[in-house]
Amino acid sequence: MEKVSKWRRYFAEPHMREMLLGSVVGLVVKVLAAVSLFAMNVVVTRTVGATQAGLFFLSFTLITIIATLGRIGLDQAVVRFIAKDVEVSASTPPVVSGNGAAAGSQLQSVFAKSVTWTLLASVLFAFIFYAIAPWLNDYVFKLPGFTPVFKVMLIAVPVMATYIIYAQALQGLKKISQSMVVSSVLLPSTILLLLLLSPVVRAQEIGSYFVIASVFTLVIGVSFWVTSVPKTAHKTEFPSSILRATCMPLWTVAIVHQVIQWSSQLMLGIWEDAQAVAFFATAQRTAMLTSFILFAVNTIAAPKFAAMHAANDMQGVRRMAIMSVRMMLLVAVPTTLFIFLFPEWLMSMFGEGFSAAATALMILAAGQFVNIATGSVGYLLSMTGLEKKVRDNVLISGAVSVLLGLILIPVYGVIGAAVAYACGVASQNLLGVYQVKKHLGFNTLCFWREA
């Protein structure tokens, strides 16, 4: 009876009810995203083989990193300020300034500046990497056929960077399913559909599909935003200085997070062949299936953290954080166990020889499980004004990941890459747990305590 009354109490509170129901919706969409990505990876490897797939996955990784550079840390800043603006606008009457004009919403200003800055930065980075692409392959990767694949996919950098900003803005509006469709579902689903309708034999051709899928995703993102953004009579300018001061630490976070996420794969590209890259990339993406619940919960929890913090409801922040960990573990534990029980079977789905990466898959899954068990610590810190603490944490964990990669990958190859990545992810989130305990006063690992 006590457990029943506890769940009734959760549903009685608007914030908790919204998170629980929103997370279920997000989970359904994220499952679709995970299935789409997994299916795309399987079809890619089985269509073009391990070597060509390795060229595509390596280029995909680099494009993801460059698009992150182009967003200059605006991802979480957009969520934070739009969510705060929506909360404040809903709970307070219009404020009249000294000259008699009504001070209105800053939502449109935040969004417009974020899109403009992202487009300018991402186009610049795309041009730079297009110019140095031959040098990058001649002196770093030395993989035959890599340069043309990479150059084709570079076209998508500004498009990809921009549609992620649209997805984050939709998240700030609490349009969770739309946000996740744009950020996670449309790209792999469109590539998968194109491959099924018109199979190809070269990575460069899949790169062209990647560009088409990115443009289609942006178009859908724009349409979602146009139909979702609230119409306000009074609009005011959001200070560029505040947006810049917030996004700069978060840019560092985003860059180093990409280092943790993809440095092992990039170093494999340097010391191993394209086949090894394909083995690791498919194992990494499969292991990340365990964290789809983390993304689903974070999508709804992040704007709620920002709104609660703006309302000075720190008790609500704590309760939501603990509740989110419980929800994530309910899904993550059986998923992780399944991976540990059937790693060779899962990897064999990608084609002949891929089962050799079964051990790497288990190591990567362990790192992802730590990521889930620690909860939404990164969002907790960045949505409560502690983005510099997030920056410090990822700098340390990024150094751990790169150092281990430099030591282990030349000797142990794919296994060394898996260990380096898993340790980087785990250290980042354990440091986040420490910072949340120190600055917000609770421990997300103690999920069994009363929330």
Side-chain angles (χ1 to χ4, degrees):
M1 291 299 295
E2 183 181 350
K3 288 185 178 180
V4 173
S5 62
K6 185 184 295 183
W7 282 99
R8 284 178 179 171
R9 176 165 55 82
Y10 287 147
F11 275 96
E13 298 180 28
H15 283 304
M16 297 301 293
R17 183 171 63 249
E18 186 177 350
M19 193 197 78
L20 288 167
L21 297 177
S23 295
V24 171
V25 174
L27 178 60
V28 172
V29 178
K30 199 61 188 180
V31 168
L32 177 61
V35 171
S36 300
L37 182 61
F38 185 77
M40 184 201 77
N41 292 334
V42 171
V43 172
V44 166
T45 54
R46 287 189 171 274
T47 301
V48 299
T51 299
Q52 288 292 307
L55 297 177
F56 171 73
F57 289 136
L58 182 59
S59 298
F60 196 153
T61 296
L62 285 168
I63 297 305
T64 302
I65 294 171
I66 299 165
T68 301
L69 290 173
R71 293 193 298 274
I72 56 175
L74 288 162
D75 311 51
Q76 294 186 37
V78 166
V79 177
R80 176 181 168 186
F81 290 123
I82 288 182
K84 181 179 177 180
D85 187 272
V86 170
E87 182 76 12
V88 171
S89 298
S91 59
T92 59
V95 178
V96 179
S97 63
N99 60 10
S105 171
Q106 297 178 322
L107 182 153
Q108 292 280 17
S109 177
V110 170
F111 177 74
K113 289 181 179 181
S114 299
V115 170
T116 302
W117 294 2
T118 294
L119 275 172
L120 291 173
S122 58
V123 168
L124 175 62
F125 282 116
F127 272 117
I128 292 172
F129 278 91
Y130 192 91
I132 67 170
W135 174 89
L136 195 63
N137 191 44
D138 290 343
Y139 294 96
V140 180
F141 297 116
K142 301 177 182 178
L143 296 174
F146 169 76
T147 301
V149 180
F150 183 48
K151 280 188 170 183
V152 166
M153 294 177 68
L154 274 169
I155 299 170
V157 165
V159 182
M160 190 179 192
T162 305
Y163 80 61
I164 292 296
I165 294 296
Y166 273 89
Q168 298 296 90
L170 289 165
Q171 183 180 344
L173 292 178
K174 302 178 187 176
K175 302 292 182 179
I176 304 307
S177 57
Q178 294 181 359
S179 172
M180 296 181 72
V181 164
V182 173
S183 65
S184 306
V185 177
L186 288 175
L187 183 72
S189 298
T190 306
I191 295 173
L192 175 63
L193 180 62
L194 290 170
L195 283 170
L196 293 175
L197 291 175
S198 179
V200 295
V201 296
R202 295 187 303 151
Q204 188 173 349
E205 294 167 317
I206 303 179
S208 299
Y209 286 170
F210 177 84
V211 175
I212 295 170
S214 298
V215 173
F216 175 70
T217 302
L218 177 59
V219 170
I220 300 300
V222 172
S223 66
F224 282 164
W225 173 257
V226 170
T227 56
S228 300
V229 63
K231 304 298 187 292
T232 55
H234 302 286
K235 302 174 185 178
T236 57
E237 190 75 6
F238 189 85
S240 297
S241 57
I242 295 178
L243 188 59
R244 191 181 305 110
T246 302
C247 74
M248 285 300 102
L250 291 174
W251 193 24
T252 305
V253 171
I255 293 171
V256 182
H257 179 73
Q258 294 299 307
V259 170
I260 297 169
Q261 190 85 348
W262 306 115
S263 61
S264 294
Q265 189 178 138
L266 295 179
M267 283 187 273
L268 272 176
I270 296 172
W271 282 301
E272 300 285 338
D273 56 15
Q275 186 180 65
V277 174
F279 286 173
F280 179 79
T282 50
Q284 184 181 30
R285 285 167 168 79
T286 304
M288 289 176 71
L289 292 176
T290 62
S291 61
F292 65 83
I293 180 61
L294 177 64
F295 298 125
V297 173
N298 279 346
T299 303
I300 183 67
K304 298 304 295 180
F305 289 149
M308 286 179 169
H309 180 255
N312 201 30
D313 182 12
M314 296 310 298
Q315 181 68 9
V317 170
R318 184 187 72 84
R319 295 179 64 186
M320 181 167 287
I322 297 298
M323 186 61 196
S324 67
V325 175
R326 294 174 181 173
M327 293 175 61
M328 289 187 281
L329 286 174
L330 282 174
V331 177
V333 169
T335 307
T336 305
L337 284 175
F338 184 82
I339 289 177
F340 270 83
L341 290 172
F342 306 105
E344 292 187 358
W345 175 77
L346 283 168
M347 292 307 300
S348 68
M349 295 179 67
F350 294 99
E352 185 179 353
F354 279 83
S355 58
T359 302
L361 173 61
M362 291 189 288
I363 296 170
L364 292 164
Q368 287 297 328
F369 184 77
V370 174
N371 186 19
I372 297 163
T374 52
S376 307
V377 287
Y379 278 104
L380 269 170
L381 294 169
S382 59
M383 294 294 130
T384 54
L386 296 168
E387 56 270 3
K388 291 183 179 179
K389 302 301 178 184
V390 183
R391 177 198 60 193
D392 296 341
N393 292 344
V394 298
L395 285 172
I396 295 171
S397 54
V400 169
S401 183
V402 171
L403 182 61
L404 287 175
L406 291 171
I407 295 171
L408 297 176
I409 291 173
V411 181
Y412 299 104
V414 173
I415 298 296
V419 172
Y421 171 74
C423 289
V425 170
S427 61
Q428 176 185 344
N429 288 280
L430 291 172
L431 285 168
V433 171
Y434 167 75
Q435 296 288 5
V436 168
K437 174 64 176 174
K438 180 178 178 181
H439 297 283
L440 301 181
F442 60 91
N443 190 340
T444 56
L445 287 174
C446 299
F447 61 89
W448 58 87
R449 292 183 179 175
E450 178 61 33

